């Protein structure tokens, strides 16, 4: 009898645990997007909805990459790319969500559906097959930033110097593809973000920082620092919006709105607010 009572208690305990667990689960998904299906409609809303059921457009970005995307002094996320993305979301009737990410974890964030796209000075060159891309919307190049009085004038002057880049950046990729140049450096080291890189350069911990020319020029202007950009560049490239491979549905929606924004002057207006001129190439 005692054994029977013990077995019954165990069964009841197990049922209680199962009931408790099932009570924490959400209701069964009611749409293809929620169910994780791979239809075009599901892909277009992959990152989900708000608690009120509003469609979201979640943009992954590096919050230490001004002027493309960064945290302002008031704590708000802002930037040229984020302003473009916010306008696109508005025109699509979606709630804009700026989602800061670790740059070296961007692929995981995209694949998991935590973000809808990567939009943050994201270089197409060398990544053509890894994502579904928008058309290029801006030209860029990879350059070296050095101290004004460093004596470094050309790429050959970087011989024996310590150079720093952001981890998993286009600058790092460009340098590693130029083996002859790389071998001249004393050291090539990485850092999580360019704010740290500029502080390292200011303190003399590194001799040069390799980075996007648009970001370099903005950083130098904002910091009022005695830095210069070398005339010789590493590589020429273009920026685009990167979506999960195969997500043509959302890509097409975003591309349509970008082209409409270029046609009605919105891209030009946003660009002039950040750069004092139109640097966009949509529809040109």
């Amino acid at each position: 009898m005692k054994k029977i009572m013990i077995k019954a208690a165990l069964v009841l305990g197990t049922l209680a645990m199962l009931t408790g667990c099932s009570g924490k689960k959400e209701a069964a998904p009611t749409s293809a997007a929620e169910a994780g299906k791979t239809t075009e409609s599901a892909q277009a809303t992959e990152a989900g909805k708000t608690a009120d059921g509003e469609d979201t457009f979640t943009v992954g970005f590096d919050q230490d990459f001004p002027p493309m995307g960064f945290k302002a002094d008031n704590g708000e996320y802002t930037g040229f790319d984020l302003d473009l993305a916010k306008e696109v979301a508005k025109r699509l009737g979606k709630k804009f969500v700026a989602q800061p990410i670790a740059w070296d974890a961007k692929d995981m964030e995209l694949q998991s559906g935590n973000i809808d796209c990567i939009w943050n000075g994201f270089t197409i060159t060398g990544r053509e097959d890894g994502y579904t891309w928008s058309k290029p919307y801006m030209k860029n190049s990879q350059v070296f930033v050095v101290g004004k009085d460093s004596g470094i004038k050309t790429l050959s002057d970087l011989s024996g110097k310590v150079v720093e880049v952001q981890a998993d950046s286009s600058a790092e990729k460009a340098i590693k593809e130029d083996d002859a140049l790389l071998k001249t450096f004393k050291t090539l080291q990485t850092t999580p973000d360019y704010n740290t890189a500029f502080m390292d350069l200011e303190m003399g911990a590194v001799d040069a920082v390799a980075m996007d020319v648009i970001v370099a020029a903005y950083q130098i202007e904002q910091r009022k620092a005695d830095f210069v950009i070398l005339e010789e560049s590493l590589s020429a490239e273009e920026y685009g919006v990167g979506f999960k491979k195969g997500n043509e549905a959302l890509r097409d929606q975003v591309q349509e709105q970008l082209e409409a924004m270029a046609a009605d002057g919105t891209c030009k207006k946003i660009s002039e607010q950040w750069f004092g001129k139109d640097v966009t190439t949509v529809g040109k």
Side-chain angles (χ1 to χ4, degrees), residues 11 15 24 26-27 50 60 64 66 77 122 126-127 161 178 182 203 209 216 230 244 273 277 279:
V11 170
L15 288 172
K24 293 180 182 178
E26 298 177 357
T50 65
D64 295 309
Y77 295 126
F122 197 28
R127 298 187 176 107
K161 306 299 184 182
D178 190 341
L182 177 59
M203 294 186 298
V209 174
L230 298 187
K244 185 177 179 180
Q273 290 172 347
K277 59 182 180 180
V279 300

Side-chain angles (χ1 to χ4, degrees), residues 8-255:
L10 289 171
V11 170
L12 288 171
T14 301
L15 288 172
M17 289 175 65
L18 290 172
T19 303
C21 291
S22 63
K24 293 180 182 178
K25 292 182 180 178
E26 298 177 357
T30 57
S31 69
E34 292 168 331
K37 295 180 181 178
T38 56
T39 63
E40 289 190 353
S41 61
Q43 291 172 337
T45 58
E46 191 170 10
K49 299 174 179 289
T50 65
D52 298 327
E54 184 178 6
D55 283 344
T56 57
F57 181 49
T58 304
V59 173
F61 73 104
D62 176 357
Q63 67 176 1
D64 295 309
F65 202 59
M68 314 312 283
F70 62 102
K71 181 182 283 189
D73 292 338
N74 63 3
E76 297 289 326
Y77 295 126
T78 187
F80 170 65
D81 279 344
L82 293 188
D83 279 355
L84 287 178
K86 188 183 299 183
E87 179 64 21
V88 166
K90 177 182 176 182
R91 295 184 182 214
L92 289 175
K94 297 176 181 286
K95 179 179 175 60
F96 174 70
V97 179
Q99 180 60 55
I101 58 175
W103 194 243
D104 57 1
K106 59 186 177 297
D107 291 343
M108 179 186 69
E109 297 282 359
L110 189 61
Q111 292 299 320
S112 66
N114 289 337
I115 58 176
D116 287 310
C117 66
I118 301 168
W119 196 338
N120 191 215
F122 197 28
T123 300
I124 299 174
T125 310
R127 298 187 176 107
E128 290 88 349
D129 297 330
Y131 308 85
T132 288
W133 288 99
S134 70
K135 293 179 182 178
Y137 65 90
M138 186 175 175
K139 291 183 178 180
N140 182 54
S141 61
Q142 296 299 326
V143 297
F144 289 97
V145 178
V146 300
K148 186 176 182 180
D149 300 322
S150 66
I152 301 173
K153 305 296 183 183
T154 65
L155 297 188
S156 61
D157 293 332
L158 292 171
S159 178
K161 306 299 184 182
V162 177
V163 179
E164 190 163 71
V165 294
Q166 183 181 39
D168 199 34
S169 65
S170 295
E172 181 183 22
K173 179 178 175 59
I175 289 174
K176 289 184 174 179
E177 289 179 347
D178 190 341
D179 192 55
L181 177 63
L182 177 59
K183 286 180 178 178
T184 68
F185 300 161
K186 179 180 179 180
T187 307
L188 175 66
Q189 60 189 49
T190 61
T191 184
D193 59 79
Y194 280 117
N195 281 333
T196 302
F198 269 93
M199 287 190 288
D200 289 343
L201 188 60
E202 288 173 342
M203 294 186 298
V206 300
D207 300 298
V209 174
M211 63 190 303
D212 301 59
V213 67
I214 292 292
V215 180
Y218 183 86
Q219 285 272 19
I220 292 172
E221 172 63 27
Q222 293 298 307
R223 292 172 179 270
K224 306 298 180 184
D226 289 330
F227 298 147
V228 294
I229 299 172
L230 298 187
E231 290 185 8
E232 292 180 82
S233 62
L234 266 171
S235 61
E237 57 191 34
E238 293 177 307
Y239 286 158
V241 185
F243 301 84
K244 185 177 179 180
K245 191 73 171 177
N247 194 356
E248 286 88 0
L250 183 56
R251 187 273 309 279
D252 291 346
Q253 291 177 24
V254 170
Q255 185 63 45

